[in-house]
Amino acid sequence: MGLSLKNSISFISILLIGLNLWFCKNENAKVVEDTTTDKNCVNLDLNPNGSSELSLLMRDMLNHAESMKESVLAGKWPSEFPEKFKEIHTAIPTDEFTKRNTFDGFAKNYLDCIKALNEMNQGNLIEKYNNVIQACESCHSEHCPGPLKIIRKLKIN
């Protein structure tokens, strides 16, 4: 028995989608190293309703944090953080109530911690890295708790 035309089209569609996801996933591994946005996978959105500017920026921050963790564990000072992270103050959130009165203070703390980590090639590298992750955790504890499990895994003990 052969495959019907409908089953063949479904199989090919699933195969093409799977290949597209696989290629984007492999590109994302490069993104973690380069800490740049993956231009080829911009349309691969985790949110079926579309992602906000803030959530996309946060995903870039996560990729950068993972890259920083690798550098810190290797005993190397992380590279400069992308200037676009400063857009945290102006990026539009998914939910208008996400950015409450304290959000900008948390955002400033994050930027200050990451700046301190990148500028000072002395002191306790792991402590400074964990300060960055703690800044993320503090903000997400109040504003958007969903990613806390992922953020906590970024800490170095």
Side-chain angles (χ1 to χ4, degrees), residues 2 19 21 27 41 58 64 68 74 78 84 93 110 118 122 141:
L19 286 172
L21 291 172
E27 273 302 307
C41 296
M58 294 281 178
H64 186 260
M68 283 192 314
K84 74 177 190 169
Y110 164 78
N118 286 291
Q122 57 188 352
S141 292

Side-chain angles (χ1 to χ4, degrees), residues 41-57 59 92-96 98:
C41 296
V42 166
N43 293 325
L44 181 61
D45 199 340
L46 301 175
N47 184 342
N49 297 321
S51 291
S52 68
E53 291 174 356
L54 186 59
S55 63
L56 292 172
L57 181 64
R59 287 189 197 122
I92 298 169
T94 303
D95 177 355
E96 64 183 279
T98 298

Side-chain angles (χ1 to χ4, degrees), residues 91-105:
I92 298 169
T94 303
D95 177 355
E96 64 183 279
F97 301 106
T98 298
K99 285 187 169 182
R100 293 187 293 276
N101 293 339
T102 56
F103 182 85
D104 280 331

Side-chain angles (χ1 to χ4, degrees), residues 7-145:
N7 287 342
S8 295
I9 292 172
S10 295
F11 174 77
I12 292 170
S13 297
I14 290 170
L15 180 64
L16 290 174
I17 290 169
L19 286 172
N20 185 31
L21 291 172
W22 183 78
F23 283 116
C24 284
K25 182 178 179 189
N26 285 344
E27 273 302 307
N28 282 339
K30 181 180 171 208
V31 171
V32 171
E33 286 180 11
D34 294 344
T35 66
T36 58
T37 302
D38 181 1
K39 305 292 189 257
N40 296 323
C41 296
V42 166
N43 293 325
L44 181 61
D45 199 340
L46 301 175
N47 184 342
N49 297 321
S51 291
S52 68
E53 291 174 356
L54 186 59
S55 63
L56 292 172
L57 181 64
M58 294 281 178
R59 287 189 197 122
D60 286 343
M61 291 171 159
L62 172 62
N63 287 341
H64 186 260
E66 290 169 341
S67 177
M68 283 192 314
K69 182 176 182 177
E70 290 175 19
S71 294
V72 169
L73 288 172
K76 300 176 186 171
W77 289 90
S79 61
E80 289 290 322
F81 76 97
E83 286 293 313
K84 74 177 190 169
F85 288 1
K86 292 179 181 177
E87 294 173 13
I88 192 170
H89 293 288
T90 58
I92 298 169
T94 303
D95 177 355
E96 64 183 279
F97 301 106
T98 298
K99 285 187 169 182
R100 293 187 293 276
N101 293 339
T102 56
F103 182 85
D104 280 331
F106 283 118
K108 181 182 180 320
N109 183 47
Y110 164 78
L111 293 173
D112 289 346
C113 287
I114 202 164
K115 183 178 177 184
L117 173 65
N118 286 291
E119 286 183 351
M120 301 188 64
N121 291 341
Q122 57 188 352
N124 187 328
L125 181 60
I126 292 174
E127 180 182 330
K128 289 178 185 232
Y129 166 80
N130 280 335
N131 287 343
V132 172
I133 303 308
Q134 181 59 48
C136 299
E137 186 176 358
S138 296
C139 184
H140 279 276
S141 292
E142 185 172 322
H143 291 277
C144 180

